[in-house]
């Protein structure tokens, strides 16, 4: 069993009520977890020596406008000690909210700000929840799929 698969198994054992689904394919490992548990799971991923995902590489999102929970936040973790990647996903309503990971990984700060700016997702407890790419007075979130396409 690969490291990522072991982590998924440990995640299911430690947080049985929080893991919605999981999969592994060609060395890629991911799990969908309940949004309200992401900070607790993130703390475990970083602090538990058996997990040791010491780097949060990225936080992004996907907009699925026709789904009941249209926003999917995607977290990419990396373990330097094991050279192993793990992806966690949470599904949320139109704007969230989802707990911040900025108090666990400093890299989450700007990544969550960008995700807010581009998708409108609110991160609860974020230390600096303001736009990072778009002007402060900009009213939309450009990566959402609800803006009409220009057909000139």
């Amino acid at each position: 069993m690969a490291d990522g698969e072991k982590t998924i198994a440990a995640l299911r054992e430690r947080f049985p009520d929080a893991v919605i689904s999981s999969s592994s394919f060609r060395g890629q490992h991911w799990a969908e977890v309940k949004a309200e548990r992401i900070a607790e799971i993130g703390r475990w991923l970083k602090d538990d020596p058996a997990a040791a995902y010491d780097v949060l590489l990225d936080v992004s999102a996907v907009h699925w406008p026709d789904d009941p929970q249209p926003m999917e936040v995607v977290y990419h973790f990396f373990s330097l000690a094991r050279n192993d990647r793990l992806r966690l996903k949470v599904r949320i309503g139109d704007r969230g909210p989802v707990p911040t990971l900025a108090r666990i990984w400093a890299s989450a700060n700007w990544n969550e700000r960008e995700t807010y700016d581009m998708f409108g997702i609110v991160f609860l407890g974020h230390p600096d929840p303001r736009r990072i790419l778009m002007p402060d007075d900009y009213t939309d979130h450009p990566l959402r799929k609800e803006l009409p396409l220009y057909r000139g």
Side-chain angles (χ1 to χ4, degrees):
M1 185 181 291
D3 285 340
E5 290 174 301
K6 290 177 186 175
T7 301
I8 296 289
L11 179 66
R12 285 187 166 282
E13 183 178 319
R14 174 136 178 144
F15 303 97
D17 61 326
V19 178
I20 297 166
S21 63
S22 65
S23 183
S24 294
F25 181 71
R26 293 187 179 179
Q28 300 286 316
H29 313 287
W30 64 268
E32 182 182 344
V33 299
K34 291 182 179 177
E36 62 270 13
R37 303 292 298 279
I38 190 64
E40 179 184 2
I41 291 169
R43 175 60 65 194
W44 172 76
L45 285 173
K46 185 174 183 184
D47 292 347
D48 189 298
Y53 286 91
D54 37 10
V55 179
L56 175 61
L57 295 171
D58 191 27
V59 179
S60 190
V62 181
H63 184 206
W64 304 99
D66 297 329
D67 286 359
Q69 290 188 299
M71 303 307 288
E72 180 178 68
V73 181
V74 184
Y75 302 87
H76 298 262
F77 301 95
F78 184 71
S79 170
L80 292 167
R82 294 190 327 277
N83 189 29
D84 189 47
R85 296 174 188 272
L86 175 69
R87 186 176 299 120
L88 292 184
K89 302 176 182 184
V90 301
R91 294 298 295 259
I92 54 175
D94 189 48
R95 305 241 179 240
V98 63
T100 185
L101 294 185
R103 301 192 191 293
I104 302 169
W105 285 278
S107 63
N109 189 324
W110 283 19
N111 285 309
E112 289 176 354
R113 284 180 62 192
E114 181 179 352
T115 302
Y116 163 72
D117 208 4
M118 297 290 106
F119 293 94
I121 296 169
V122 174
F123 291 89
L124 287 178
H126 193 280
D128 189 11
R130 59 191 165 100
R131 289 191 176 272
I132 192 168
L133 299 173
M134 303 305 292
D136 289 337
D137 61 348
Y138 191 75
T139 58
D140 293 319
H141 301 282
L143 293 182
R144 293 176 68 100
K145 295 177 182 170
E146 62 207 8
L147 296 175
L149 294 177
Y150 174 74
R151 297 187 190 270

